Amino acid sequence: MAVSDPGASAERTRLAWRRTGLSATAVALLTARPAFAPGAPLAVILGAGLAMAGWAALIGLAYRRAHGLIAWPPRPGRRTVTAYAVITAGFAVLGTVLVTL
């Protein structure tokens, strides 16, 4: 018979938030990369700055959500998850724009 461990699911979710933050870091660095090309247009440099601001927001939200999962019982993170999804969609749009410039 399996033993239920309600803390294990919160731990797995916390680790998933950490992995998501690491992948957001990779995406942000790839999005900012065109700004370091010689003669990069101002729009690309501003887009890279916007990407870094979005990255900072994503990392802050992931940190907040991970700490919300430490509490017992874990606090729900409806607004955090929604904000994270919106910023991630913004990253997709920004990346598309930067690639097409």
Side-chain angles (χ1 to χ4, degrees), residues 28-100:
L29 290 173
L30 289 172
T31 305
R33 184 176 176 209
F36 294 101
L42 181 61
V44 172
I45 294 170
L46 292 175
L50 186 61
M52 290 296 107
W55 170 78
L58 286 176
I59 294 300
L61 286 170
Y63 182 80
R64 178 180 175 192
R65 183 63 193 135
H67 279 280
L69 291 167
I70 292 173
W72 188 253
R75 294 189 304 260
R78 288 179 212 92
R79 289 183 295 170
T80 304
V81 173
T82 303
Y84 209 88
V86 168
I87 294 171
T88 302
F91 253 136
V93 170
L94 181 63
T96 303
V97 169
L98 286 177
V99 167
T100 57

